[in-house]
Amino acid sequence: MLDRNTIPQSATFRTRGLTKVYGEGAAAVHALRGVDLEIPEGEIVVLLGPSGSGKSTLLNIVGGLDRASDGEAWFQDQNLSEMSDRELTLYRRDHVGFVFQFYNLMPSLTAYENVELVTEIADNPMEVERALELVGLGERMNHFPAQMSGGEQQRVAIARAIAKNPTVLFCDEPTGALDSATGRAVLHVINDVNRELGATVMVVTHAAATAQMAHRVIHFADGQIRTVTENDTRLSPDEIAW
Amino acid sequence: MRALDRKLLRDLWRIKGQAAAIAMVVAVGVLLQVMMSGMITSLEQTRATYYERYRLADVFAPVTRAPQKMLDRLADIPGVAAVEGRVQGGALVDMAGQDLPVRAQVLSLPEWRDPWLNDVYISEGQRPRAGRTDEILLLRAFADAHGLGLGDVLSATMYGSKRAFRIVGIAQSPEFLFTTAPGEFVPDDARFAVLWLNADALEAAYDMKGAFNEALLSLERGAELEPVLTAVDALLDRYGGLGAYGLEDQLSNRFLSEEIKGLTATSSAVPPIFMGVAAFLLYIVVSRMVSAEREQIGLIKAFGYTDTEVALHYFKLVVFIALAGALMGCLGGVWAGRGLAGLYQDIYHLPFLVFRVEPSSFATGIFISVLAAMVGGLSVLRQVFALTPAVAMRPPAPADYSRSGAITASLKSWLDQPSRMVLRRVMRNPGRVFGAVLGIAAGMGLSSAQMSVMSGFDEALDTTFSVIDRSDVTVTFFEQMPLKAAFDLAHMPGVIEVEPTRGVSAVLRYGTETYRGSVTGMVDGAHLSRAVDADHRDIPMPASGIVLAKSLADTLGVQAGDTVTVEVLQGRRPTLELRVARIADTLMGAPAYMNIDALNRAMGEPGRISGAFLRIDPDAYRAFFKEIKDVPSVAGVTRKNDARLAMKKLMDEGAGTMRYVMALIAGIITFGIVYNSARISFGEQSRDLASLRVMGFSQGEAAFILLGELALVVLIALPLGVLLGFGLSYLVAAGFSTDLYQIPTGFRADAFGIAGVAVVLAALISGWLVKREIEKVDLVATLKTRE
């Protein structure tokens, strides 16, 4: 059992023996096999690994989208494993920003309104305009998703995720559907969000090069952490060889 | 099997639940269509066969007393094929253990041969043997209602003398599918008997030796009715002819015709609604499938399949579902029709009823359902054609809301984001929303119209039996009596009040329109049986002139102030020109009222009555009936409550059953559409909902966006449903209104209230079911997969 006092104040997330099993019996798939991890506050953490290695599963559990089969996951001093559905909803609402590979914008709302959707329910949101300026879309805030390119849509998705001033920002393959120039612009935005808002950022990606902008890189394989590397020197997204 | 066809089968299997639901809607529509049109055809054919086989007359000519030799003269009329003379009269049958004697009609049967016209079907026993004067055939409906059988003895009073008769046969007759006592307008098996006796016996009883008092005529094929009627009237006039009439005006036949008319009205309104709903559902399902399979369509096209081949592939799917539904419907229709045939055979007292469906009815059912499916499918096929392989294989662009967005931008100040999302979805897809609104409104309209008519009918019953007729008992005499007869009634036990009345049979004419009915003479200040206006206020009888029931005025096409011709068929048979003083709001029957003194003056018979309305102390009923049974001049006694119950029963049976079935089915469609709309909306928005959930929206907040649309649809549908139901109620009421009763129309808050609550309830249940689905959404899986 983990004593509350043993959790370092600087850790945003801490997991102990985190396990996730899908299915039962012979068909059981072990997505996570006892992961112990600490994510310090304010870092950009990149999770790398082949498909099915467990990185997204980890993201989903600490993001409050999924529950662990066993083990514990802590966000600051709150035990996510013990939260009710309602508490998890509140946790997402107040602390978590998500960015997905396929943007998932509301087609019926403009860029501005998509962001506003979040600021209307968040405790301490930023101005919608500011969120959109942060992602470089101040000019296009009245456009509907159908009137934007993929990169623009993804930037709206990021603006939407950061507008609540999240404690953590989760990005699951944020550049997966984008070309290299657009992808690089999106990474810039993520980098800026981390620097300017101080949010802890966790990025799941296949693109190993992305790791060069991270403070910390975690390699996954077979549901376990293989290596954790801290980058002494981080590259700006412009310097990353795509 | 070609690969595409294998795909088709697997696709069908994948969407089996939804496919089955749509096929069921199609099936119910076709089932109703096949069943009802089959029932109408079967009833019409059975009626025709029955009439033909038992040689039902085309012309009925009642007369006071005509010599047999006149039959030859009648036979000489051009166009007449056969003539039969018979004796018929009224009788009272004394039923053991019953307070009230039952009225009966007695008819003569030729002794040594089958009747040339109006033969009977003997379902048990045999005809009275020649020479026997104490043997009778009894109408089956009456025998069944009282549990009478062969060998039982009936005591009947004919022309004042009481005799006992033995039942030797139970008969059915095309002439008496419905039986109604003279002067009443409600058919009732139990309260009216028909007896057949040997002609000799009857001639003796009614003093008709060598004479007849009703001539029956059949016409040659193609002969015209009117000239024959005129010729018959001319020949029988000096023997007291009471006016010949055609089969069309024969009471029982008229009831059956009205019933068939009611069935036809319902059958032409309901199945098309089902088909429309099915087309709408098919459109939605296939449309969703096509957009979900963009990639596959692109791929198939990239392989080199043509647009037509791909389109045909999806088309087959649609037609397959429709055909499966139509076939189920055809089979179900025959099955249900056969079940219903037994019921209808009982209700209409038919000796047989073979349920037969015209092949064209199957064809229509199948054709309409395939057509509906095609309409639903075609608009989707356009989408398939429009997809180029490259476009199809890229993820779809987000739906474009920029146009509807501009409109709602102005509402920004007072709408939050979720409400704006709901509104924009609605405005972006007005067609689909309109479809759902129309579907729900149609279902609601249909059920509220049916309920409206049911409650309208209850109102008609109330008005007739509580407001217009405030008596307890009606007494009818065999023939007109002096006013003293009313005073005699007043002295009988328990009688509180007596209101004399006089009815005479008459033909009313205006222009080319004719109505065969009667004129009722009312005393000044009549209040036990009244003529009332729309506000239920008394209409005082004018010293001269006539007051017509609204239905009669409509039939004749007259208004107050017009002058109608009244040919009285009794007594000295005067022809009167009478000014229509007022139109009465009478809902049952089609009476014409006059001042009794004016009527008697016109008849040249002052102070005469033919019956009376009585109010009786409830505790003295038994004593009253016991005494009145033995009054020889009394032809019949009707308790108002019996008449009311008989009317209610008539309404609930036959075409009436259909009303309940329709209201129920309408309710089911409404729920089906509400639920489907919610499901479809959920299917289309599950991704948005998952996004909202991930962003931290609670289930309730997410559900709002989904169910907000449903709520909006229901909200628009409710007033539209009321409007539609209001309009439909007029059509349905007109369809069900007959000579016998008019169903009052008007805004019935209760019917619309119940239908509205049912719709809201359906929406709540659907909302609840779909909200449970939201709880089950796998957030991660939904968001990480491409649309």
Side-chain angles (χ1 to χ4, degrees), chain A residues 2-92:
Chain A
L2 203 70
D3 182 4
R4 181 165 293 205
N5 295 327
T6 65
I7 302 166
Q9 273 310 297
S10 62
T12 305
F13 290 110
R14 191 182 174 111
T15 68
R16 273 293 139 78
L18 202 63
T19 304
K20 179 69 184 179
V21 185
Y22 293 106
E24 289 178 357
V29 175
H30 290 262
L32 290 178
R33 300 169 187 266
V35 171
D36 299 332
L37 178 70
E38 251 174 53
I39 307 283
E41 198 178 302
E43 283 195 353
I44 295 180
V45 179
V46 168
L47 300 144
L48 288 175
S51 290
S53 59
K55 52 194 194 305
S56 288
T57 307
L58 176 72
L59 200 70
N60 294 335
I61 292 173
V62 295
L65 292 180
D66 202 352
R67 290 175 181 281
S69 310
D70 199 11
E72 289 180 337
W74 290 75
F75 165 72
Q76 294 172 345
D77 59 351
Q78 297 169 16
N79 189 345
L80 296 175
S81 329
E82 287 176 357
M83 283 189 185
S84 67
D85 279 347
R86 182 155 198 85
E87 287 167 326
L88 281 179
T89 300
L90 284 176
Y91 160 63
R92 290 199 303 268

Side-chain angles (χ1 to χ4, degrees), chain B residues 402-631:
Chain B
S402 51
R403 276 191 311 155
S404 56
I407 306 165
T408 41
S410 52
L411 303 171
K412 189 162 179 150
S413 50
W414 54 278
L415 281 181
D416 61 357
Q417 298 297 354
S419 310
R420 238 176 290 165
M421 284 174 69
V422 170
L423 210 61
R424 283 195 190 146
R425 255 181 69 81
V426 168
M427 292 175 70
R428 181 168 185 278
N429 241 327
R432 196 197 38 212
V433 171
F434 181 70
V437 164
L438 207 66
I440 295 171
M444 182 184 158
L446 204 62
S447 49
S448 58
Q450 297 286 356
M451 281 191 288
S452 202
V453 166
M454 283 186 226
S455 93
F457 176 73
D458 286 340
E459 186 193 302
L461 273 186
D462 262 353
T463 308
T464 305
F465 291 105
S466 306
V467 176
I468 294 177
D469 184 352
R470 296 190 290 205
S471 69
D472 298 319
V473 162
T474 310
V475 173
T476 317
F477 299 115
F478 276 113
E479 49 197 1
Q480 75 274 15
M481 302 285 287
L483 198 55
K484 179 180 170 295
F487 297 124
D488 293 343
L489 286 175
H491 289 111
M492 296 185 77
V495 174
I496 300 167
E497 203 174 350
V498 177
E499 189 173 284
T501 181
R502 175 162 197 195
V504 295
S505 321
V507 174
L508 290 89
R509 295 186 202 277
Y510 182 77
T512 54
E513 300 297 331
T514 301
Y515 183 82
R516 221 188 132 76
S518 63
V519 176
T520 307
M522 317 255 285
V523 295
D524 279 333
H527 67 280
L528 290 187
S529 174
R530 317 181 290 155
V532 296
D533 63 14
D535 298 322
H536 296 171
R537 279 186 307 243
D538 275 320
I539 296 179
M541 281 305 122
S544 65
I546 192 165
V547 173
L548 301 184
K550 196 172 174 307
S551 62
L552 179 51
D554 290 346
T555 306
L556 294 177
V558 301
Q559 291 173 330
D562 293 339
T563 300
V564 293
T565 307
V566 178
E567 298 170 16
V568 179
L569 300 174
Q570 288 173 223
R572 65 183 194 92
R573 309 186 63 196
T575 296
L576 315 170
E577 297 291 324
L578 294 170
R579 191 175 157 277
V580 177
R582 291 278 293 273
I583 306 291
D585 214 54
T586 309
L587 298 171
M588 295 207 183
Y593 307 102
M594 274 180 80
N595 183 298
I596 191 168
D597 296 329
L599 179 63
N600 279 335
R601 261 198 311 280
M603 299 291 295
E605 297 165 343
R608 290 283 155 162
I609 63 172
S610 66
F613 299 98
L614 275 65
R615 216 144 61 73
I616 290 179
D617 178 357
D619 295 331
Y621 267 84
R622 292 196 79 104
F624 172 78
F625 290 132
K626 194 167 159 29
E627 195 156 319
I628 196 137
K629 258 193 207 182
D630 298 325
V631 179

Side-chain angles (χ1 to χ4, degrees), chain B residues 17 19 40 76 107 294 330 342 374 387 427 458 462 524 561 591 600 667 735:
Chain B
I40 293 164
D76 290 340
L107 297 163
R294 290 165 57 87
C330 286
M374 280 162 118
L387 282 174
M427 292 175 70
D458 286 340
D462 262 353
D524 279 333
N600 279 335

Side-chain angles (χ1 to χ4, degrees), chain A residues 135-147:
Chain A
V135 298
L137 280 176
E139 302 294 307
R140 311 211 57 178
M141 56 176 73
N142 288 323
H143 286 67
F144 281 88
Q147 299 167 307

Side-chain angles (χ1 to χ4, degrees), chain A residues 56 60 65 89 92-93 98 102 104 106-109 113 116-118 120 144 146-147 160 164 172, chain B residues 398-402 405 412 417 420-421 424 687-688 691-697 701 780 783-784:
Chain A
S56 288
N60 294 335
L65 292 180
T89 300
R92 290 199 303 268
R93 178 185 290 214
F98 273 102
F102 301 112
N104 294 317
M106 303 292 148
S108 58
L109 298 179
E113 291 165 343
E116 204 179 24
L117 195 58
V118 168
E120 277 175 356
F144 281 88
Q147 299 167 307
R160 186 174 68 179
K164 66 170 74 162
D172 198 345
Chain B
D400 190 352
Y401 280 86
S402 51
K412 189 162 179 150
Q417 298 297 354
R420 238 176 290 165
M421 284 174 69
R424 283 195 190 146
R687 196 180 180 80
D688 293 356
S691 294
L692 290 169
R693 293 280 292 125
V694 166
M695 273 184 263
F697 279 76
E701 288 163 330
V780 179
L783 292 176
K784 289 196 68 177

Side-chain angles (χ1 to χ4, degrees), chain B residues 197-256:
Chain B
L197 265 83
N198 275 327
D200 267 1
L202 210 54
E203 285 170 12
Y206 287 92
D207 190 21
M208 287 278 170
K209 275 285 173 220
F212 63 92
N213 65 2
E214 187 173 35
L216 307 169
L217 292 81
S218 67
L219 300 184
E220 284 164 359
R221 193 173 292 272
E224 283 207 41
L225 178 67
E226 282 302 324
V228 173
L229 292 183
T230 315
V232 170
D233 282 345
L235 277 175
L236 295 181
D237 188 49
R238 66 197 190 93
Y239 300 103
L242 297 173
Y245 57 92
L247 180 59
E248 196 184 273
D249 283 327
Q250 198 260 344
L251 212 56
S252 160
N253 183 53
R254 208 162 71 189
F255 275 124
L256 189 55

